[in-house]
Amino acid sequence: MRDDMILLGHGSGGQMTHDLVNKVILPLIHEGREAPEQEDSTPLTLPTGEIRFTTDSYVVDPIIFPGGDIGDLAVNGTINDLAMGGAVPFALSLGFILEEGLLMDDFTKVLRSIGRAAREAGIQVACGDTKVVPRGRGDKIFINTSGVGLARNGLRPGSAAVRPGDRLIINGTVGDHGVTIMSMREGLKFESPVKSDTAALHTLVDALVKAGVEIRAMRDPTRGGLATVAVEIAEASGVHIRLDETAIPVNKHVAAACEILGLDPLMVANEGKMVLVTPERDAKKALDVMRSHPLGRDAAMIGEALETDGRAKVTLTSYAGGARMVNKLPGELLPRIC
Amino acid sequence: MCVAAPMKVVEVGEYSCVAEIDGVRKSASIIALEEVKVGDYIMVHAGLAISKLDPASAEETLRLMREIVATEKRNDEIH
Amino acid sequence: MKYIDEFRDGALARKLVADLEIEAERLSRRVTLMEVCGTHTMAIYRHGLKPLFPEKVRLVSGPGCPVCVTPAGYVDMAITLARTPGVIITTFGDMLKVPGSQTSLVKERGAGRDVRVVYSPMDAVETAKSSPDKEVVFLGVGFETTAPSVAAAILTAKREGVKNFTVLASHKVMPEPMEALTKGELKIDGYICPAHVSAIIGERGYRRLAEVYGVPCVITGFEPLDMLRGVIMLVRQIAEGRAVVENEYFRVVKPEGNVKAQAILADVFEKSNAVWRGLGPIPDSGLAISPRYESYDAMKKFKLSEPDVRENPACLCGEILKGLKEPLDCGLFATACTPENPVGACMVSSEGTCAAEFRYGERSRANA
């Protein structure tokens, strides 16, 4: 009989753990492909040269939401961290911390989407680990993923490399993921057609590289949103970034939800967006490349870097012709009534 | 204070309604309004419909905004 | 978004800015207008309107951010309740970071208290229904706009027989503090009156300000075009030496306000004295839960009394709100009083006069 929920015994290291790993986790993640040997560590043969290495942990409530779940979020998020560094994703690890009582159906759904996301991205899940904590000591499922990517020769994008005159381009609408999660929170719930934008961005980066677009900086604006990433770039590079409010793409449902909750879409999280900074001469080309890629159909040029007046900052030109400062998300993103 | 959004009523119940703005739906209490019909625009603040929005007045407001100041001034001089 | 996007039209905004410049030429001196309401302050910031106002028109932020004027003593009571076993605190997101005398709700939540953010007080009633073995307390803050929604939650709880729902009420009303500010020395030439407070109370509440104190008042919507037009109407009144109550936002605000909501307020609440952070006590400026609904009053149920937390006497919030002083005149500014550890209301609000000065420096605003 298959268990219908995760029990402490699944993390015991004994037979139950063995069965969970071999009968549930590995078949779903490596569906149709050979799983790596189960040893304490996995050998990887990397082509010589520089690699990029990253790690990230995923905690999201709810774990399953319109447009995705914590599984593809974890795979895509780690791929994006590699891709934003200019690397070609190669392999990743998966560490699960499961809460006792997690429904097996939910876990298998998450595993399936991990398998699908990894397969579609052509990245190998090289090693993993599963622990179970007593009920109440975790929140259904936490995932840690570390990723290794192969650095491309000569490509070292960095937030500090932006120069006055550079242009900022985003590959689509902002705020979709954050609004999706909020719409499901107790006390805030609303109905909307919004879906998470979770996606792996490395093929979009491939397309930009192939087209010969010069990449100064690439960042994925996840938590903290576009506003936070723009300020981080401005501060790292010592420039004034001016964003154009009329150019920033926002899905109308996201805009409406933000209106109701008193939120600024620029501060709301994304999971499949990238901000590209490129010299002015390549901006048009970059925009064309993005718009002909499935993940960049709504790409837009949203701003430019300028000389500072002594202080790195981000401003936003409003459609009314006014201007304001853009700040990092100060803390938690909270709905407001005033 | 007071964030409120104009929302279109799509369903009406005894004490509450469902209102929509660009595909986003939320329920709102209607106990502070005299009469609410499907198709009305209501201002919703913290889950309560606090007022109806009058479409004709909205048009009138936009018309006033579009008026040419110079014309208003000329009128002032005539008066 | 219908009835939002039209009032954010860029071309029409530029036209109104040009109109405002023409109107402002008629002024013989620089004038100071107060946007009384915190939502106006936020909207002016968000839409980047400040750089669009002519040199002769200066805007200052008023006391209309309800969480910012909530005194430390109230927050302390909320924290006492949060620490009471079996109590769930439900609140608007805005309240989480407001400091009490020792700590804030966001820190208490971090320490394991059950503090939940809701969109509406009605959601808090739902929480009470789904947690019958807990006491659910909603933190009732806000002006005349928000108080009816809290009243509606109390009426819902009564109708549905929900016994484990109470409100810790600290509601405030707008005209009384405006009059308190207007009395005596004041350097405000005109009031941009709140949009949605007025939807409830109508035009009447501001009449004394115009008629007795001679301060022009314009009820103004929150969209950028509304604000530009409201300021034009105020400048016109000042230039022509008039002082009346005008209503720019007549698509939502009726002259008599929302009579039904007024009746609900009169049923559930009664006027009380209230303490305003930065302004001190103001008679009849609060709304307390009526004895008729005392079983929904957290003060009564949990036998609380508001501790008298002494304000820092060096705080100049009152003078800053009256337009008499600037943040830099205050000895606490940027030393004892910062956005992380705010003393007065002007620093609590992220776009309050002091917080804005702290972050940007008034004159280095967005020089874009």
Side-chain angles (χ1 to χ4, degrees):
Chain A
M1 192 188 81
R2 271 263 308 268
D3 296 310
D4 60 356
M5 65 170 75
I6 292 291
L7 301 171
L8 279 176
H10 286 120
S12 66
Q15 186 63 42
M16 277 177 78
T17 308
H18 181 87
D19 289 349
L20 181 72
V21 169
N22 289 288
K23 294 183 182 161
V24 181
I25 298 179
L26 291 179
L28 288 172
I29 289 180
H30 297 284
E31 203 184 329
R33 290 190 303 182
E34 198 185 338
E37 292 281 317
Q38 284 180 66
E39 301 290 343
D40 285 340
S41 57
T42 304
L44 285 183
T45 308
L46 297 170
T48 50
E50 193 175 71
I51 65 159
R52 286 189 88 100
F53 185 36
T54 184
T55 191
D56 208 341
S57 299
Y58 296 83
V59 293
V60 63
D61 177 30
I63 58 170
I64 297 166
F65 43 80
D69 59 50
I70 192 171
D72 43 21
L73 200 68
V75 173
N76 293 339
T78 297
I79 289 174
N80 292 346
D81 285 346
L82 294 169
M84 294 302 105
V88 180
F90 186 75
L92 59 78
S93 70
L94 275 175
F96 293 112
I97 295 176
L98 309 177
E99 185 190 18
E100 180 187 21
L102 170 69
L103 295 178
M104 200 59 87
D105 281 351
D106 287 350
F107 187 41
T108 52
K109 183 173 191 325
V110 168
L111 290 168
R112 255 186 216 107
S113 54
I114 288 173
R116 191 185 327 112
R119 219 160 30 247
E120 284 172 8
I123 190 170
Q124 175 191 357
V125 179
C127 55
D129 177 53
T130 306
K131 294 284 188 302
V132 180
V133 295
R135 197 167 186 131
R137 302 285 180 84
D139 188 6
K140 295 184 272 298
I141 177 166
F142 300 148
I143 303 178
N144 173 271
T145 54
S146 294
V148 176
L150 309 174
R152 289 185 174 88
N153 280 340
L155 182 56
R156 265 185 187 239
S159 298
V162 175
R163 296 290 164 260
D166 288 355
R167 298 300 149 108
L168 278 79
I169 297 173
I170 193 158
N171 63 316
T173 54
V174 298
D176 298 65
H177 178 74
V179 162
T180 304
I181 298 300
M182 270 204 182
S183 74
M184 301 182 73
R185 288 250 160 98
E186 191 199 344
L188 297 181
K189 276 186 189 145
F190 53 89
E191 266 181 69
S192 88
V194 183
K195 284 199 296 221
S196 170
D197 59 341
T198 179
L201 294 165
H202 61 301
T203 57
L204 186 55
V205 176
D206 286 343
L208 291 165
V209 170
K210 272 198 199 102
V213 170
E214 186 178 341
I215 295 168
R216 288 269 165 77
M218 283 188 287
R219 294 288 306 275
D220 57 337
T222 52
R223 289 167 309 155
L226 173 60
T228 303
V229 153
V231 174
E232 284 170 1
I233 293 174
E235 287 175 351
S237 293
V239 295
H240 168 190
I241 288 177
R242 185 166 63 191
L243 300 174
D244 175 2
E245 182 170 29
T246 54
I248 298 172
V250 185
N251 172 316
K252 69 174 184 174
H253 309 304
V254 170
C258 287
E259 208 58 51
I260 294 172
L261 298 176
L263 301 175
D264 179 353
L266 266 54
M267 298 230 178
V268 181
N270 308 280
E271 287 293 342
K273 292 293 146 25
M274 63 177 284
V275 175
L276 168 75
V277 189
T278 183
E280 187 193 353
R281 62 173 184 280
D282 282 358
K284 173 79 177 62
K285 181 162 65 180
L287 204 53
D288 289 344
V289 170
M290 279 201 185
R291 284 181 177 163
S292 56
H293 189 283
L295 293 175
R297 275 194 296 264
D298 299 321
M301 182 132 60
I302 56 170
E304 61 185 323
L306 306 166
E307 296 279 357
T308 61
D309 51 5
R311 192 169 149 190
K313 64 181 172 187
V314 178
T315 61
L316 175 129
T317 307
S318 73
Y319 37 75
R324 67 163 163 106
M325 301 286 295
V326 173
N327 301 297
K328 287 182 201 159
L329 174 65
E332 201 182 336
L333 189 67
L334 293 167
R336 295 189 356 248
I337 55 149
C338 57
Chain B
M1 75 175 288
C2 316
V3 172
M7 301 180 78
K8 189 178 185 175
V9 176
V10 292
E11 278 171 40
V12 182
E14 191 177 356
Y15 301 107
S16 66
C17 72
V18 176
E20 180 184 282
I21 171 170
D22 274 347
V24 177
R25 288 180 174 207
K26 208 149 176 27
S27 73
S29 166
I30 51 173
I31 69 161
L33 294 184
E34 288 296 340
E35 188 203 358
V36 181
K37 300 186 300 296
V38 168
D40 282 350
Y41 280 86
I42 53 174
M43 299 301 294
V44 180
H45 167 76
L48 179 77
I50 55 165
S51 178
K52 276 198 217 177
L53 184 148
D54 174 31
S57 300
E59 282 311 313
E60 172 67 5
T61 306
L62 286 167
R63 192 190 63 74
L64 288 168
M65 287 171 173
R66 288 189 199 107
E67 257 180 13
I68 306 298
V69 164
T71 317
E72 288 176 30
K73 284 201 150 175
R74 219 173 297 130
N75 289 344
D76 285 349
E77 282 159 19
I78 296 166
H79 289 157
Chain C
M1 291 173 285
K2 184 80 177 149
Y3 300 120
I4 294 180
D5 294 337
E6 301 94 306
F7 295 94
R8 293 181 186 174
D9 178 77
L12 196 45
R14 283 187 285 278
K15 184 254 174 199
L16 287 173
V17 169
D19 290 353
L20 176 56
E21 274 164 14
I22 294 170
E23 287 295 336
E25 279 169 25
R26 301 166 66 190
L27 294 170
S28 56
R29 62 188 170 86
R30 191 168 190 229
V31 297
T32 301
L33 309 180
M34 174 180 280
E35 86 273 3
V36 181
C37 173
T39 307
H40 273 131
T41 307
M42 287 303 291
I44 288 165
Y45 163 72
R46 174 179 165 196
H47 300 293
L49 298 185
K50 269 215 170 150
L52 299 178
F53 293 119
E55 190 59 37
K56 275 187 175 165
V57 177
R58 173 173 173 256
L59 259 70
V60 296
S61 306
C65 161
V67 300
C68 311
V69 296
T70 300
Y74 173 84
V75 179
D76 289 352
M77 275 197 299
I79 286 165
T80 302
L81 279 176
R83 290 175 176 175
T84 306
V87 168
I88 299 174
I89 297 288
T90 50
T91 176
F92 295 126
D94 316 51
M95 271 305 287
L96 276 197
K97 277 184 263 175
V98 178
S101 57
Q102 307 291 331
T103 162
S104 65
L105 287 163
V106 74
K107 288 182 189 158
E108 289 298 307
R109 192 183 56 181
R113 325 293 175 203
D114 197 343
V115 178
R116 304 184 189 179
V117 172
V118 294
Y119 162 77
S120 153
M122 255 64 77
D123 297 328
V125 178
E126 290 303 312
T127 304
K129 283 159 72 177
S130 60
S131 315
D133 53 336
K134 302 272 188 180
E135 281 293 329
V136 174
V137 181
F138 182 76
L139 303 184
V141 295
F143 297 120
E144 291 96 328
T145 325
T146 314
S149 123
V150 174
I154 289 176
L155 294 173
T156 304
K158 187 179 179 198
R159 193 174 64 234
E160 300 186 1
V162 181
K163 304 268 189 242
N164 60 331
F165 172 79
T166 53
V167 173
L168 185 65
S170 180
H171 290 291
K172 293 185 167 57
V173 295
M174 220 51 265
E176 281 72 10
M178 287 175 75
E179 183 158 347
L181 278 176
T182 312
K183 276 181 195 162
E185 205 185 353
L186 174 84
K187 290 198 172 153
I188 302 296
D189 299 293
Y191 284 122
I192 300 169
C193 295
H196 294 144
V197 163
S198 306
I200 305 294
I201 69 172
E203 298 173 2
R204 200 181 45 208
Y206 314 110
R207 236 167 251 156
R208 278 175 61 81
L209 301 172
E211 288 166 9
V212 177
Y213 300 98
V215 185
C217 292
V218 175
I219 296 166
T220 306
F222 290 130
E223 296 304 334
L225 298 193
D226 289 313
M227 284 184 281
L228 289 167
R229 173 139 174 96
V231 171
I232 290 173
M233 289 165 74
L234 272 176
V235 167
R236 205 173 279 166
Q237 281 199 42
I238 297 167
E240 291 166 3
R242 292 182 295 129
V244 292
V245 179
E246 292 180 299
N247 182 2
E248 183 279 332
Y249 195 41
F250 59 95
R251 66 183 183 277
V252 167
V253 175
K254 315 262 174 310
E256 69 282 11
N258 180 337
V259 177
K260 200 167 175 194
Q262 291 166 15
I264 290 171
L265 283 182
D267 177 30
V268 176
F269 294 107
E270 57 184 26
K271 283 251 173 129
S272 67
N273 297 334
V275 178
W276 295 59
R277 192 191 285 253
L279 292 176
I282 300 174
D284 284 338
S285 67
L287 293 174
I289 295 174
S290 152
R292 283 187 297 279
Y293 293 91
E294 67 179 8
S295 57
Y296 302 96
D297 186 343
M299 300 273 284
K300 299 263 168 58
K301 190 166 194 172
F302 298 96
K303 299 187 175 53
L304 297 167
S305 59
E306 184 162 333
D308 186 17
V309 178
R310 280 203 46 205
E311 300 230 344
N312 189 326
C315 173
L316 291 189
C317 257
E319 282 77 10
I320 290 167
L321 288 173
K322 288 182 188 178
L324 299 173
K325 293 269 163 79
E326 301 278 345
L328 292 171
D329 297 329
C330 180
L332 304 179
F333 179 75
T335 54
C337 182
T338 61
E340 285 69 40
N341 288 299
V343 175
C346 312
M347 190 66 94
V348 175
S349 161
S350 59
E351 292 309 320
T353 309
C354 292
E357 176 69 39
F358 184 92
R359 265 195 292 176
Y360 315 131
E362 172 118 44
R363 267 151 278 286
S364 74
R365 280 189 300 259
N367 290 320

